[in-house]
C-alpha cells in the first residue's frame, strides 16, 4: 500500500526556517515524480515544488530562492528546506506523488497524497 507521511511543520516567526520531510513506502520512490503542495483555507492549492525521477526541479515563483526541494532515494524520503519564511507561507503542506510517471505534470495529476503538516509563520 502506498503511504506518504509528512513531518516537520511548526509555528515560527517570519525570517525563520523549517525543514519538512516526507517518508514514503509502497512504491519505487526513485522512479517517480514527487513534490510539495500547499493549501490555505479559502484558497486553491498551490504547487510548491516538484522533483522528477531524473532530479529535475521547478519552483513556484512565490518560493523560488527561499525553498529547496531534495530527495534521498536511499531512504525513500522527500525534503523541503524553507528559509526566510514569510507569513504568506502559512499553509498546510502536503507531500504528493505521481506514481507511474518519472516526470512531473500538472498539479491535478498527482495520484497519491499525504495528510499534510501545518506551517504557521507569524510576523
Amino acid at each position: 500500500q502506498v503511504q506518504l507521511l509528512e513531518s516537520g511543520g511548526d509555528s515560527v516567526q517570519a525570517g525563520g526556517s523549517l525543514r519538512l520531510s516526507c517518508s514514503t513506502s509502497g512504491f519505487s520512490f526513485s522512479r517517480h515524480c514527487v513534490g510539495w503542495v500547499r493549501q490555505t483555507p479559502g484558497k486553491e492549492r498551490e504547487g510548491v515544488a516538484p522533483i522528477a525521477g531524473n532530479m529535475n526541479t521547478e519552483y513556484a515563483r512565490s518560493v523560488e530562492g527561499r525553498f529547496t526541494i531534495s530527495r534521498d532515494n536511499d531512504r525513500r524520503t522527500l525534503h523541503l528546506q524553507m528559509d526566510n519564511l514569510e507569513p504568506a507561507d502559512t499553509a498546510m503542506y502536503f507531500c504528493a506523488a505521481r506514481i507511474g510517471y518519472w516526470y512531473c505534470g500538472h498539479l491535478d495529476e498527482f495520484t497519491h497524497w499525504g495528510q499534510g503538516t501545518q506551517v504557521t509563520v507569524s510576523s
Side-chain angles (χ1 to χ4, degrees):
Q1 182 177 7
V2 174
Q3 295 185 25
L4 305 170
L5 180 61
E6 304 94 336
S7 63
D10 206 346
S11 180
V12 299
Q13 293 183 346
S17 297
L18 287 173
R19 188 169 191 254
L20 306 183
S21 297
C22 173
S23 61
T24 72
S25 62
F27 68 101
S28 299
F29 178 81
S30 64
R31 296 177 179 269
H32 304 288
C33 170
V34 291
W36 292 95
V37 181
R38 66 185 182 184
Q39 184 172 30
T40 300
K43 299 181 180 179
E44 63 184 18
R45 288 182 173 180
E46 177 187 20
V48 177
I51 181 166
N54 65 356
M55 300 298 184
N56 188 34
T57 62
E58 185 174 355
Y59 296 91
R61 292 190 62 83
S62 58
V63 306
E64 190 171 17
R66 299 186 297 116
F67 290 11
T68 304
I69 189 171
S70 62
R71 61 191 299 167
D72 185 335
N73 289 335
D74 290 337
R75 296 180 172 83
R76 303 188 299 271
T77 303
L78 180 70
H79 300 284
L80 184 68
Q81 179 67 42
M82 304 186 295
D83 297 319
N84 194 24
L85 284 162
E86 304 171 353
D89 296 318
T90 296
M92 184 73 75
Y93 284 73
F94 297 89
C95 176
R98 192 185 187 212
I99 295 175
Y101 305 88
W102 65 266
Y103 59 92
C104 300
H106 300 294
L107 175 62
D108 59 1
E109 293 179 305
F110 282 114
T111 60
H112 294 76
W113 299 76
Q115 293 185 326
T117 185
Q118 180 66 41
V119 172
T120 301
V121 184
S122 62
S123 59

